[in-house]
Amino acid sequence: MALSAEYLAFIKDQMSGFGPVSIKRMFGGAGVSLDDVNFAIIADEILYLKTDAVNEPDFAAEDLEPFAYEGRNGRRMQMSYRRAPPRVMDDADEMTLWCRKAFDAALRARKARKSFKV
């Protein structure tokens, strides 16, 4: 399913309380970033937020499924993103809260990658 311009504009507007996010189309979906930190992805008009060990329990507690796709040789590939809670689509304050958690997870991942490089 293609991403509509209307859906992307809606997501950007709904996230405006978090900050001036940018949305860039990629790989049939889109990446969502703030200050060049990618903290969310959109696929099939579903918003997924970045997770890590710190915020993963929040997503698991709400039984929000992880983002996965079919990779080479038909293998199921899972990424560290989970579906956003449905209520964030109607509540800008909730969207801001969940975006903050995802952004913080993305910052932690970036820091870990930088400290891993020698």
Side-chain angles (χ1 to χ4, degrees), residues 5 56 85:
E56 176 74 22

Side-chain angles (χ1 to χ4, degrees), residues 3-48:
L3 292 175
S4 70
E6 293 81 13
Y7 183 80
L8 297 179
F10 169 75
I11 293 296
K12 192 170 186 173
D13 184 60
Q14 195 67 3
M15 289 181 173
S16 64
F18 176 63
V21 301
S22 62
I23 299 177
K24 295 181 183 171
R25 291 179 185 267
M26 58 184 199
F27 307 115
V32 183
S33 60
L34 175 68
D35 298 331
D36 292 323
V37 176
N38 192 353
F39 68 94
I41 57 176
I42 302 169
D44 295 327
E45 296 200 348
I46 299 172
L47 175 65
Y48 296 89

Side-chain angles (χ1 to χ4, degrees), residues 20-118:
V21 301
S22 62
I23 299 177
K24 295 181 183 171
R25 291 179 185 267
M26 58 184 199
F27 307 115
V32 183
S33 60
L34 175 68
D35 298 331
D36 292 323
V37 176
N38 192 353
F39 68 94
I41 57 176
I42 302 169
D44 295 327
E45 296 200 348
I46 299 172
L47 175 65
Y48 296 89
L49 300 170
K50 180 77 172 157
T51 62
D52 68 0
V54 174
N55 69 347
E56 176 74 22
D58 296 332
F59 291 86
E62 297 202 31
D63 199 29
L64 298 164
E65 70 267 11
F67 174 74
Y69 64 95
E70 188 173 317
R72 292 185 180 167
N73 301 323
R75 287 185 56 198
R76 184 173 187 264
M77 307 298 291
Q78 188 170 311
M79 296 177 64
S80 59
Y81 291 85
R82 282 206 184 215
R83 188 176 191 146
R87 69 181 174 278
V88 305
M89 299 305 182
D90 298 321
D91 186 331
D93 292 335
E94 279 286 309
M95 179 67 86
T96 297
L97 174 70
W98 285 84
C99 284
R100 170 55 57 196
K101 292 177 186 186
F103 185 80
D104 290 346
L107 287 176
R108 288 188 293 270
R110 178 183 272 192
K111 184 177 179 182
R113 280 192 307 274
K114 284 184 180 179
S115 67
F116 183 72
K117 291 181 182 178
V118 179

